[in-house]
Amino acid sequence: MGNARSGAVSKEILDELKLHTKFSESELSQWYENFQQQCPSGRITPEEFEKIYTRFFPDSDAKTYAQHVFRSFDTNDDGTLDFKEYIIALHMTSSGKMALKLEWAFSLFDVDKNGYITKSEVAEICQAIFKLIPKEKQLQLPSDENTAEKRATKLWSYFNKKDNERLAEGEFIKGVLENENALRLIQFDPAK
């Protein structure tokens, strides 16, 4: 990003983001200005990202989930988020397109970034999601999803995989799209 400290986003990055997101040039310029004010270094650290998530979930333990979300957004694995990674993440999670959201969800669940999800990875992310649900809401959950372990087992069952099998991205997306309960379980929203 040779341009991390300057006042304007580079034309190259701007053109790429316009091509790959729903944001206009003026929106991207405004996002960049805000990003530079919040992150003068031009990068968001994992600690800064955790603080942001904690503000969104004040009644929950958001740290673990924030760490997984950060990992899924840090596409170049450098331990920080630059403006481009930040905007692409924002686009993927806020776009109205379900396929984009599910591609991102797959990357969230693919903890080791090997292109597959295992039952243990589902359990790890379900544990992090469960920590986001306030205690009083946890008590209201159905008995087959009132713990992180039960939630993971229920979610894994929608994919028709044995405990030791792996799940590819296409299978994950298809399984979630075909089952409303699976979609609900991959989100931090406790119940609808």
Side-chain angles (χ1 to χ4, degrees):
M1 303 254 108
N3 195 17
R5 293 185 184 270
S6 70
V9 64
S10 76
K11 176 143 179 53
E12 177 185 320
I13 292 170
L14 193 60
D15 288 345
E16 185 177 346
L17 290 174
K18 282 191 325 193
L19 184 64
H20 295 292
T21 72
K22 64 178 181 171
F23 303 120
S24 69
E25 187 167 333
S26 63
E27 288 172 317
L28 289 166
S29 295
Q30 184 62 52
W31 279 109
Y32 187 75
E33 191 177 306
N34 293 339
F35 184 85
Q36 287 298 101
Q37 287 174 358
Q38 298 297 314
C39 307
S41 71
R43 304 217 168 255
I44 299 174
T45 66
E47 296 76 22
E48 290 166 328
F49 194 77
E50 286 172 23
K51 287 179 189 171
I52 293 167
Y53 255 79
T54 301
R55 287 194 298 259
F56 281 112
F57 300 98
D59 300 328
S60 306
D61 177 1
K63 183 178 180 174
T64 306
Y65 187 74
Q67 290 168 346
H68 284 294
V69 172
F70 185 90
R71 172 196 38 81
S72 73
F73 290 165
D74 183 16
T75 55
N76 65 1
D77 291 324
D78 71 351
T80 64
L81 297 182
D82 60 25
F83 179 69
K84 185 174 154 186
E85 289 169 316
Y86 174 74
I87 289 298
I88 289 174
L90 184 66
H91 171 71
M92 287 182 77
T93 58
S94 68
S95 165
K97 295 180 179 160
M98 182 59 71
L100 271 182
K101 290 179 183 178
L102 292 177
E103 286 174 19
W104 171 73
F106 180 84
S107 71
L108 178 69
F109 278 84
D110 185 13
V111 175
D112 63 8
K113 294 186 174 189
N114 71 349
Y116 294 95
I117 296 173
T118 62
K119 186 175 182 186
S120 66
E121 288 173 316
V122 167
E124 186 173 339
I125 300 303
C126 282
Q127 186 73 41
I129 291 170
F130 206 78
K131 289 178 179 179
L132 294 176
I133 304 170
K135 295 287 184 215
E136 65 277 2
K137 298 250 188 209
Q138 289 178 16
L139 298 172
Q140 299 168 7
L141 291 171
S143 62
D144 64 342
E145 58 185 76
N146 63 2
T147 68
E149 296 76 19
K150 289 179 183 178
R151 191 177 182 108
T153 298
K154 185 175 183 177
L155 178 57
W156 189 251
S157 73
Y158 291 123
F159 301 115
N160 297 315
K161 293 284 186 181
K162 294 179 179 150
D163 287 358
N164 63 346
E165 291 183 311
R166 302 182 313 173
L167 185 65
E169 183 177 24
E171 295 172 303
F172 174 81
I173 291 171
K174 183 177 186 283
V176 172
L177 286 175
E178 290 177 352
N179 193 303
E180 197 174 295
N181 281 324
L183 179 60
R184 183 178 53 78
L185 290 172
I186 67 169
Q187 301 171 351
F188 48 77
D189 193 17
K192 293 274 180 210

